[in-house]
Amino acid sequence: MEEKKSKVTLHGTWISPYSKRVEIALKLKGILYEYVEEDLQNKSESLIQQNPVHKKIPLLVHDGKPVAESLVILEYIDETWTNSPRFFPEDPYERAQVRFWVSYINQQVFEVTGQIMFQEGEAQAKSVEEARKRIKVLDEGLEKHFPNKNIRENDDVGLLEIIIIATFGVHKAHREAIGVEIISPVNTPTLYNWIERLQDLSVVKKVEVPHDKLVNFIQNYRQKCLQQAANA
């Protein structure tokens, strides 16, 4: 359990799924922390000094010791605060599967789904097709390797669940803002159900961004990026 004198600070941004990963992990462990909202156009001196290599969020500072990179931070949290829930299964093979699918989301899914927001026409259509293929692979992997997964309370959440909800929890806002559906109960039923059950948990509700706020941000940011690309 966390010691009383322990001081934890998280530097992040409200829109970042990487920040959301750490926020959820801290809430799951019941860790009291100070949150510092960073302006990525005008980063704080504290962020720059304590993360001199990347100068990026999220950054966790625990008793003056900085820890960078979201996955590194999540493992650090789990190893430092060993109370429930633990983020990895006890079984070595199950741990390997968790690490594999987390890596798959980070390396194979996240980038292509992100591209869709900044594209139009044929380019966007190609990215949507590719994203659907890759997310279908994820959906089938979840069904095969975690067939008996129950998500009913906060203690049912581990590393893979944190990554899934932080990455895909906003899929309905993206659909409304961009008009493209990537995740659905028909084509990706297992992933869709995981997200629905995770969103019902109190710990996720505490860090959720309001749907309308997300939709407005995505629409405005997309329009700004498309306009800049057109003027380039």
Side-chain angles (χ1 to χ4, degrees), residues 116 132 168-185 192 196 211 214-215 218-219:
I116 294 169
R132 286 174 176 163
F168 304 118
V170 298
H171 75 96
K172 292 180 182 178
H174 277 261
R175 182 186 64 195
E176 183 175 335
I178 303 174
V180 172
E181 184 175 71
I182 303 296
I183 298 169
S184 74
Y192 186 91
E196 290 290 297
H211 178 83
L214 268 174
V215 172
I218 294 167
Q219 289 175 334

Side-chain angles (χ1 to χ4, degrees), residues 35-48:
Y35 178 76
V36 178
E37 177 71 19
E38 290 284 347
D39 178 355
L40 298 186
Q41 304 303 316
N42 185 26
K43 298 173 185 177
S44 69
E45 284 299 317
S46 179
L47 174 65
I48 294 171

Side-chain angles (χ1 to χ4, degrees), residues 9-65:
T9 303
L10 171 62
H11 294 256
T13 61
W14 69 272
I15 194 63
S16 168
Y18 299 106
S19 292
K20 280 289 175 281
R21 295 174 176 184
V22 182
E23 287 186 73
I24 293 168
L26 292 169
K27 296 287 187 185
L28 280 169
K29 292 286 190 176
I31 302 167
L32 297 177
Y33 65 97
E34 176 188 356
Y35 178 76
V36 178
E37 177 71 19
E38 290 284 347
D39 178 355
L40 298 186
Q41 304 303 316
N42 185 26
K43 298 173 185 177
S44 69
E45 284 299 317
S46 179
L47 174 65
I48 294 171
Q49 289 174 5
Q50 294 186 92
N51 188 9
V53 176
H54 298 302
K55 301 179 178 64
K56 292 181 178 179
I57 55 90
L59 175 71
L60 185 80
V61 183
H62 178 212
D63 288 338
K65 298 175 292 186

Side-chain angles (χ1 to χ4, degrees), residues 195-214:
I195 294 169
E196 290 290 297
R197 284 180 284 169
L198 286 164
Q199 288 180 324
D200 284 338
L201 299 179
S202 59
V203 70
V204 174
K205 290 182 182 295
K206 289 178 181 178
V207 302
E208 267 186 339
V209 178
H211 178 83
D212 291 345
K213 182 178 180 180
L214 268 174

Side-chain angles (χ1 to χ4, degrees), residues 11-229:
H11 294 256
T13 61
W14 69 272
I15 194 63
S16 168
Y18 299 106
S19 292
K20 280 289 175 281
R21 295 174 176 184
V22 182
E23 287 186 73
I24 293 168
L26 292 169
K27 296 287 187 185
L28 280 169
K29 292 286 190 176
I31 302 167
L32 297 177
Y33 65 97
E34 176 188 356
Y35 178 76
V36 178
E37 177 71 19
E38 290 284 347
D39 178 355
L40 298 186
Q41 304 303 316
N42 185 26
K43 298 173 185 177
S44 69
E45 284 299 317
S46 179
L47 174 65
I48 294 171
Q49 289 174 5
Q50 294 186 92
N51 188 9
V53 176
H54 298 302
K55 301 179 178 64
K56 292 181 178 179
I57 55 90
L59 175 71
L60 185 80
V61 183
H62 178 212
D63 288 338
K65 298 175 292 186
V67 185
E69 299 290 331
S70 64
L71 289 180
V72 176
I73 294 171
L74 295 185
E75 291 203 27
Y76 176 83
I77 290 172
D78 195 41
E79 292 170 359
T80 303
W81 291 274
T82 56
N83 56 296
S84 182
R86 299 309 307 267
F87 294 164
F88 289 94
E90 292 184 6
D91 181 77
Y93 182 73
E94 290 180 7
R95 284 202 303 274
Q97 288 302 315
V98 166
R99 288 191 170 101
F100 175 85
W101 290 108
V102 166
S103 176
Y104 180 82
I105 292 169
N106 280 341
Q107 297 180 19
Q108 300 295 323
V109 179
F110 195 83
E111 182 178 356
V112 69
T113 54
Q115 289 175 348
I116 294 169
M117 186 167 73
F118 309 111
Q119 295 174 324
E120 292 182 298
E122 185 178 348
Q124 186 188 67
K126 289 181 179 179
S127 292
V128 168
E129 181 181 4
E130 184 61 30
R132 286 174 176 163
K133 288 180 182 178
R134 296 185 187 188
I135 288 181
K136 185 64 176 177
V137 171
L138 171 62
D139 185 77
E140 292 171 351
L142 296 178
E143 183 179 17
K144 177 180 179 180
H145 295 288
F146 308 95
N148 301 315
K149 180 64 182 178
N150 290 316
I151 304 173
R152 296 175 180 169
E153 55 188 26
N154 293 344
D155 282 356
D156 295 326
V157 179
L159 181 69
L160 181 56
E161 291 77 23
I162 292 172
I163 301 305
I164 284 175
I165 193 60
T167 305
F168 304 118
V170 298
H171 75 96
K172 292 180 182 178
H174 277 261
R175 182 186 64 195
E176 183 175 335
I178 303 174
V180 172
E181 184 175 71
I182 303 296
I183 298 169
S184 74
V186 175
N187 296 322
T188 52
T190 302
L191 177 60
Y192 186 91
N193 287 335
W194 277 41
I195 294 169
E196 290 290 297
R197 284 180 284 169
L198 286 164
Q199 288 180 324
D200 284 338
L201 299 179
S202 59
V203 70
V204 174
K205 290 182 182 295
K206 289 178 181 178
V207 302
E208 267 186 339
V209 178
H211 178 83
D212 291 345
K213 182 178 180 180
L214 268 174
V215 172
N216 289 335
F217 175 85
I218 294 167
Q219 289 175 334
N220 292 335
Y221 189 65
R222 168 178 161 81
Q223 188 60 40
K224 177 181 177 181
C225 292
L226 291 175
Q227 188 63 49
Q228 287 176 343

